[in-house]
């Protein structure tokens, strides 16, 4: 049982949680994730570890409400518990002093790229971070990213803040200006990652993306998260989640991500309806017998 | 005067096939007391019993059976528990037909003693009666500690044996439930999870510590465990699914058996939406393979409403590796076996969903190096079977996470951890291994047998006396 120490809304539908997980806090590296469940009959879902405090024994998870499980998690308050949190999973992001790194992220992807930006800067890179959201109120971690990166560029799709446009726009402009870019990291919705891959491909700029297929166990035992990279099958949970963007079969990733669309929709509708009809109370938290 | 042989096993009450494919309850309902006593009295109580050597954990079969024949079920429990900490599991999943019952002398001319059914009877009696009766009384604390990596049959056996000998044991399990293949692989209708939980609870009562959601190789490394514990046992199992490497294998609706069964068994997808993990099972399901895993998958598919549940196996019925009773039950349940056929490609529609599987017919040629006749494709015999779900159950290999993160651990062919077969000792001092991680995918009982050997060796390594 993992206690939620704090819970905070960063943007509509996006919450930050600090969760007790001492071994994970000690061990985790940039790019790794946890698999968690929010109740005893719940599904297992992967969430990137955005930050950690080893001294305190806690990790930070930033979660966007997209379906029933993340919705149930959003209803959990500080002092409540998550029954299962497993990690750190995934192959850590490969960090070295590449030179000039550009890190792009959109929406909740900003939380995922944050530890990568920190690690790259610590390794001596000059890190240009480009973060974006549909509008100003959906932007998260601006201050944290400004601290972590060497330079921060902010974009919004609607122009309500920062540069008006998608995150790829500043990257395009940098490339047009002939700026030296040694490596690109990109985390966000698939169309964004795909677009960045296509932009950097002709210039052969090494580009790393973090893939988010559906997962079950997260330790490589089921193959549910399999993706095709350069024509070969890889498991995102153990060979990834980072992969060479120019080798990823994005079409297949998108198709496989949609496999449970109808069940996901059905589950969320059912849950919302049962709340409205007063049939379901918010699931009560369980008092932990073992408090870490 | 020679005892008269009763030629046939006492039949065991079973759910009728048409009923049981609509539920996930056990097929065999268990002997009544009278049936058990009657069956036990069939035993010839041979002067030189050969059945004991047929059991991978060496249960004293004639003695426990004798107790059952006399109605002393409690004593029968004690005798089985001397050798086997998970009898309710073994009685249900062991392939007795290739072990104890294979060598039973009655089997030469008649049906062997129904040893498996009797073991299950005794174990179920124990569970119903127990409440407070400990599994065994542990020896005095030795002050030594052992880390068991993997909460499956091998790990649970090692944990039980070492706890009995007075050592402090912690079991580290990657998943959120203990049991390994017993909880994620074997379906509810073969091994009810409540039974498994009862066996695990008994181990916890004895002081075995369980840490779930703990992935050794990520959360902590084996070398670090060696710093905290006096010895380590690795029983991480066959947690790597094999795929066919044919076109279309990543289409929506194609599962590895591990994923299919994990969703259904561990995550109880058959109770969706109350249990939140879904699974897609269509009306026409093809399961590729012929072992117990394939059999579990295809019978589960039937219970999930498949109108056609095909089992596609590249060899013939004679070579089918699955447990005899499972194959028999599968047939009764209407599973459609297609022998001597193998997949060539999976076909799908524009949206990426499975629509069919292209198969080629096979014939058996000369034996290959496994000793089995090699299946060879018959040219131009291809055809397409309409299916909407495919489950690949062609085998599982050892999960590579620990080999990849443990320097000095010698790894063999197909990624197995190399061990001394008598002791489970690996190339790293203080590190032992057993079960599927050392052999490749095999059975629960063999994992338990390996666990017993390793526990003895670990006990000795920790300074304990040599046990017979």
């Amino acid at each position: 049982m993992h206690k939620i120490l704090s819970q905070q809304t960063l943007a509509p539908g996006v919450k930050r949680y600090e969760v007790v997980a001492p071994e994970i806090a000690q061990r985790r590296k940039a790019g790794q994730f946890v698999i968690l469940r929010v109740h005893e009959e719940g599904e297992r879902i992967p969430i990137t570890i955005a930050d950690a405090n080893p001294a305190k024994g806690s990790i930070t998870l930033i979660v966007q409400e997209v379906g029933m499980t993340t919705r149930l998690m959003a209803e959990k308050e500080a002092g409540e518990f998550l029954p299962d949190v497993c990690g750190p999973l995934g192959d850590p992001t490969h960090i070295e002093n590449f030179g000039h790194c550009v890190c792009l992220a959109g929406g909740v992807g900003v939380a995922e790229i944050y530890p990568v930006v920190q690690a790259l800067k610590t390794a001596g890179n000059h890190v240009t971070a480009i973060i974006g959201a549909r509008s100003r109120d959906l932007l998260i971690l601006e201050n944290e990213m400004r601290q972590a990166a060497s330079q921060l560029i902010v974009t919004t799709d609607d122009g309500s803040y920062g540069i008006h446009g998608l995150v790829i726009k500043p990257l395009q402009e940098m490339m047009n200006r002939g700026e030296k870019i040694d490596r690109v990291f990109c985390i966000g919705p698939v169309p964004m990652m795909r677009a960045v891959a296509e932009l950097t491909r002709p210039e052969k700029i090494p580009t790393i993306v973090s893939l988010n297929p559906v997962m079950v166990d997260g330790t490589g035992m089921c193959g549910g998260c399999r993706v095709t990279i350069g024509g070969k099958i890889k498991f995102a949970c153990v060979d990834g989640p980072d992969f060479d963007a120019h080798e990823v079969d994005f079409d297949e990733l998108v198709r496989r991500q949609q496999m449970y669309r109808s069940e996901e929709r059905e589950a969320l509708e059912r849950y919302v309806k049962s709340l409205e009809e007063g049939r379901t109370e918010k699931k009560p938290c369980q008092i932990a017998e073992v408090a870490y | 005067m020679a005892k008269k042989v009763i030629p046939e096993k006492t039949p065991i009450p079973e759910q009728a096939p048409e009923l049981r494919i609509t539920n996930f309850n056990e097929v065999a309902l268990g002997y009544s007391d009278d049936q058990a006593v009657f069956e036990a009295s069939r035993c010839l109580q041979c002067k030189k019993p050969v059945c004991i050597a047929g059991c991978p954990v060496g249960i004293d079969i004639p003695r426990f059976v004798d107790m059952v024949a006399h109605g002393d079920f409690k004593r029968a429990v004690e005798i089985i528990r001397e050798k086997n900490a998970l009898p309710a599991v073994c009685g249900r999943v062991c392939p007795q037909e290739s072990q104890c019952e294979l060598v039973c002398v009655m089997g030469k001319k008649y049906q062997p003693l129904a040893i498996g059914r009797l073991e299950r009877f005794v174990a179920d009696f124990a569970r119903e009666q127990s409440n407070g009766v400990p599994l065994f009384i542990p020896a005095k604390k030795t002050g030594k500690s052992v880390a068991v990596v993997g909460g499956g049959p091998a790990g649970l056996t090692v944990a039980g044996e070492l706890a009995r000998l007075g050592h402090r044991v912690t079991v580290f399990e990657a998943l959120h439930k203990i049991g390994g293949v017993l909880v994620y692989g074997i379906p509810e209708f073969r091994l009810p999870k409540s039974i498994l939980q009862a066996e695990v609870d008994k181990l916890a009562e004895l002081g075995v510590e369980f840490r779930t959601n703990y992935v050794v190789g990520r959360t902590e490394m084996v070398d670090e465990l060696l710093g905290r514990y006096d010895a380590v046992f690795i029983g991480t199992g066959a947690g790597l699914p094999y795929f066919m490497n044919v076109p279309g294998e990543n289409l929506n609706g194609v599962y590895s058996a591990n994923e299919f069964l994990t969703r259904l068994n561990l995550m109880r997808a058959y109770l969706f939406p109350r249990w939140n993990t879904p699974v897609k099972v269509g009306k026409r399901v093809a399961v590729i393979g012929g072992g117990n895993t394939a059999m579990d998958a295809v019978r589960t598919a039937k219970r999930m409403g498949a109108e056609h549940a095909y089992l596609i196996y590249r060899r013939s019925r004679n070579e089918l590796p699955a447990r005899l009773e499972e194959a028999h039950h599968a047939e009764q349940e209407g599973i459609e076996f297609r022998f001597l056929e193998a997949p060539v490609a999976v076909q799908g529609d524009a949206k990426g969903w499975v629509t069919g599987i292209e198969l080629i017919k096979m014939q058996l040629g000369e034996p290959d190096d496994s000793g089995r006749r090699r299946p060879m494709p018959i040219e131009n015999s291809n055809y397409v079977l309409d299916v909407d779900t495919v489950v690949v159950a062609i085998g599982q290999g050892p999960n590579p996470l620990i080999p990849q993160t443990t320097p000095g651990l010698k790894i063999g062919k197909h990624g197995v951890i190399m061990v001394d077969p008598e002791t489970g000792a690996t190339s790293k001092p203080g590190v032992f291994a057993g079960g599927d991680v050392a052999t490749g995918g095999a059975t629960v009982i063999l994992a338990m047998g390996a666990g017993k050997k390793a526990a003895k060796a670990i006990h000795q390594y920790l300074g304990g006396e040599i046990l017979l």
Side-chain angles (χ1 to χ4, degrees):
Chain A
M1 290 296 248
H2 299 257
K3 192 175 196 175
I4 297 172
L5 295 174
S6 69
Q7 186 247 66
Q8 182 198 5
T9 299
L10 296 182
V14 181
K15 283 196 156 82
R16 164 160 55 200
Y17 306 82
E18 211 189 334
V19 178
V20 175
E23 286 101 355
I24 304 176
Q26 288 277 31
R27 261 244 115 75
R28 68 101 206 186
K29 294 192 162 60
Q32 289 187 303
F33 59 97
V34 295
I35 287 229
L36 59 84
R37 295 200 313 153
V38 302
H39 66 92
E40 289 296 342
E41 293 162 357
E43 55 165 347
R44 293 169 62 97
I45 61 168
I47 304 283
T48 305
I49 303 168
D51 205 349
N53 188 330
K56 212 168 159 191
S58 69
I59 59 174
T60 298
L61 304 174
I62 294 176
V63 184
Q64 179 173 33
E65 253 180 75
V66 293
M68 193 183 78
T69 302
T70 45
R71 165 76 187 255
L72 285 170
M73 189 162 170
E75 288 167 8
K76 285 203 181 266
E77 323 230 335
E80 293 187 47
F81 293 84
L82 296 173
D84 300 295
V85 179
C86 179
L89 302 175
D91 203 20
T93 302
H94 174 61
I95 305 286
E96 65 179 73
N97 193 347
F98 300 105
H100 178 212
C101 296
V102 179
C103 297
L104 303 98
V108 78
V110 176
E112 295 163 27
I113 212 157
Y114 173 61
V116 176
V117 167
Q118 287 179 308
L120 286 170
K121 190 152 143 221
T122 303
N125 291 281
H126 181 82
V127 184
T128 302
I130 309 175
I131 63 172
R134 286 204 307 277
S135 61
R136 183 182 191 157
D137 64 331
L138 294 171
L139 196 63
I140 62 171
L141 304 185
E142 185 191 347
N143 292 331
E144 289 85 347
M145 287 296 277
R146 202 175 294 282
Q147 295 260 32
S150 313
Q151 182 198 7
L152 179 68
I153 302 171
V154 178
T155 72
T156 47
D157 296 8
D158 67 358
S160 52
Y161 188 61
I163 293 171
H164 186 172
L166 304 175
V167 292
I168 200 172
K169 186 166 157 190
L171 175 61
Q172 174 98 68
E173 287 167 1
M174 288 166 74
M175 288 170 67
N176 291 344
R177 289 198 295 272
E179 267 191 54
K180 182 166 182 288
I181 299 170
D182 297 293
R183 203 139 174 129
V184 171
F185 294 81
C186 177
I187 307 182
V190 169
M192 178 192 143
M193 294 193 289
R194 194 204 293 251
V196 170
E198 290 322 300
L199 181 61
T200 59
R201 193 193 296 274
E203 308 279 324
K204 294 191 172 48
I205 304 174
T207 302
I208 304 295
V209 287
S210 179
L211 302 185
N212 57 343
V214 172
M215 285 187 186
V216 185
D217 69 290
T219 60
M221 66 78 98
C222 85
C225 65
R226 62 191 185 280
V227 289
T228 301
I229 311 293
K232 293 200 164 76
I233 293 184
K234 300 280 177 194
F235 293 176
C237 67
V238 290
D239 304 312
D242 285 3
F243 290 104
D244 177 349
H246 299 144
E247 302 274 276
V248 175
D249 183 344
F250 283 106
D251 284 336
E252 181 187 84
L253 174 64
V254 169
R255 283 195 309 264
R256 288 180 61 77
Q257 280 176 329
Q258 305 196 338
M259 194 160 149
Y260 300 98
R261 257 275 176 81
S262 56
E263 284 84 358
E264 288 161 6
R265 190 171 28 231
E266 179 199 329
L268 186 59
E269 277 170 9
R270 231 180 247 254
Y271 177 66
V272 170
K273 188 149 177 260
S274 73
L275 281 181
E276 285 166 2
E277 292 171 3
R279 278 186 286 117
T280 305
E281 287 186 13
K282 208 185 75 165
K283 286 210 187 281
C285 73
Q286 288 175 265
I287 311 297
E289 279 125 20
V290 180
Y292 290 108
Chain B
M1 189 172 72
K3 178 172 170 179
K4 188 167 185 264
V5 175
I6 302 164
E8 302 209 338
K9 285 183 180 180
T10 310
I12 190 166
E14 285 181 351
Q15 273 198 81
E18 325 77 63
L19 172 62
R20 70 190 192 232
I21 58 171
T22 66
N23 65 49
F24 275 75
N25 303 327
E26 286 195 85
V27 176
L29 301 170
Y31 278 154
S32 65
D33 289 8
D34 288 343
Q35 287 167 323
V37 170
F38 187 78
E39 179 61 21
S41 68
R42 285 183 69 222
C43 178
L44 300 180
Q45 292 293 329
C46 302
K47 278 209 173 59
K48 291 198 177 147
V50 287
C51 49
I52 303 176
C55 171
V57 296
I59 293 175
D60 191 336
I61 297 166
R63 257 176 81 226
F64 99 74
V65 170
D66 194 34
M67 291 302 118
V68 177
H70 286 99
D72 190 350
F73 305 146
K74 193 152 170 282
R75 187 78 190 101
V77 174
E78 287 163 18
I79 293 165
I80 292 183
R81 282 206 177 134
E82 279 165 22
K83 297 289 182 183
N84 185 345
L86 306 174
V89 172
C90 292
R92 286 170 166 78
V93 309
C94 265
Q96 290 93 3
E97 75 273 10
S98 55
Q99 292 168 176
C100 49
E101 293 181 18
L102 176 67
V103 294
C104 171
V105 301
M106 291 201 291
K108 286 196 186 123
K109 281 214 310 234
Y110 313 102
Q111 287 195 334
L113 184 68
I115 301 170
R117 292 173 182 172
L118 289 172
E119 182 181 21
R120 181 206 159 147
F121 171 81
V122 172
D124 289 352
F125 167 83
R127 202 180 60 262
E128 281 147 29
Q129 307 292 313
S130 77
N131 301 332
V133 176
L135 194 55
F136 46 70
I137 313 291
K140 205 172 67 150
K141 288 206 204 308
T142 62
K144 301 283 185 179
S145 62
V146 182
V148 172
V149 183
L156 292 175
T157 300
V158 170
E161 295 296 302
L162 290 175
R164 191 209 296 252
L165 292 164
H167 303 294
R168 180 171 69 82
V169 180
T170 305
V171 175
F172 296 95
E173 167 57 47
L175 293 173
H176 58 276
K177 287 260 179 277
I178 299 292
V181 75
L182 302 171
V183 73
Y184 78 73
I186 301 182
E188 179 73 14
F189 60 83
R190 278 224 286 145
L191 178 64
K193 302 314 157 202
S194 56
I195 289 179
L196 173 63
Q197 189 63 51
E199 310 265 80
V200 172
D201 288 345
K202 279 244 170 285
L203 289 175
E205 271 168 38
L206 289 154
V208 174
E209 188 195 357
F210 291 98
R211 292 292 310 271
T212 54
N213 295 310
Y214 207 101
V215 185
V216 175
R218 290 271 190 228
T219 315
E220 190 170 5
M221 304 301 158
V222 169
D223 281 333
E224 291 168 279
L225 284 175
L226 276 173
R228 301 202 288 132
Y229 292 85
D230 299 302
V232 176
F233 174 80
I234 300 172
T236 47
L240 180 73
Y242 289 149
F243 284 97
M244 301 180 287
N245 292 319
V246 300
E249 211 161 11
N250 286 357
L251 286 164
N252 287 356
V254 181
Y255 286 103
S256 73
N258 269 3
E259 185 185 357
F260 188 71
L261 292 170
T262 295
R263 282 179 179 271
L264 282 153
N265 300 328
L266 175 68
M267 309 307 296
R268 296 199 187 263
Y270 63 93
L271 295 174
F272 182 83
R274 194 187 116 202
W275 284 71
N276 303 157
T277 304
V279 71
K280 290 281 210 214
V281 186
K283 293 293 171 207
R284 307 174 72 98
V285 181
V287 175
I288 318 297
N292 289 319
T293 307
M295 216 53 76
D296 286 342
V298 78
R299 294 172 67 201
T300 298
K302 192 76 182 172
R303 283 159 173 76
M304 291 300 286
E307 281 161 14
H308 293 278
Y310 302 107
L311 187 88
I312 309 206
Y313 182 53
R314 60 188 182 141
R315 289 187 168 90
S316 79
R317 172 180 290 280
N318 293 334
E319 284 83 27
L320 207 61
R323 186 170 180 259
L324 213 60
E325 188 175 31
E326 309 315 325
H328 171 62
H329 282 158
E331 221 161 10
Q332 290 177 324
E333 288 160 12
I335 304 305
E336 296 167 59
F337 292 92
R338 287 174 113 90
F339 293 110
L340 293 163
E341 298 190 9
V344 173
V346 182
Q347 299 182 344
D349 62 19
K351 291 219 168 88
W353 288 90
V354 177
T355 55
I357 186 165
E358 185 189 342
L359 300 166
I360 193 167
K361 296 197 201 271
M362 311 291 272
Q363 61 193 351
L364 292 178
E366 289 305 303
D368 61 21
D369 53 4
S370 75
R372 292 180 294 167
R373 293 180 67 192
R374 184 200 303 270
M376 320 225 291
I378 299 171
E379 258 183 64
N380 299 321
S381 65
N382 306 39
Y383 76 101
V384 176
L385 183 65
D386 287 339
V387 293
D388 47 25
T389 309
V390 176
V391 181
V392 183
I394 58 174
Q396 289 79 236
N399 188 292
L401 191 56
I402 290 198
Q404 285 168 357
T405 56
T406 311
L409 195 64
K410 199 143 171 263
I411 306 302
K413 221 170 138 194
H414 304 303
V416 297
I417 295 180
M418 298 194 59
V419 298
D420 175 332
E422 279 317 299
T423 62
T426 68
S427 57
K428 267 179 97 80
V431 178
F432 298 75
D436 286 359
V437 78
T439 60
T443 62
V444 165
I445 190 65
L446 287 175
M448 293 178 62
K452 287 185 81 75
K453 287 189 179 148
K456 266 194 216 149
I458 292 172
H459 179 67
Q460 230 180 289
Y461 172 79
L462 295 175
E465 73 282 8
I466 298 171
L467 301 160
L468 291 161

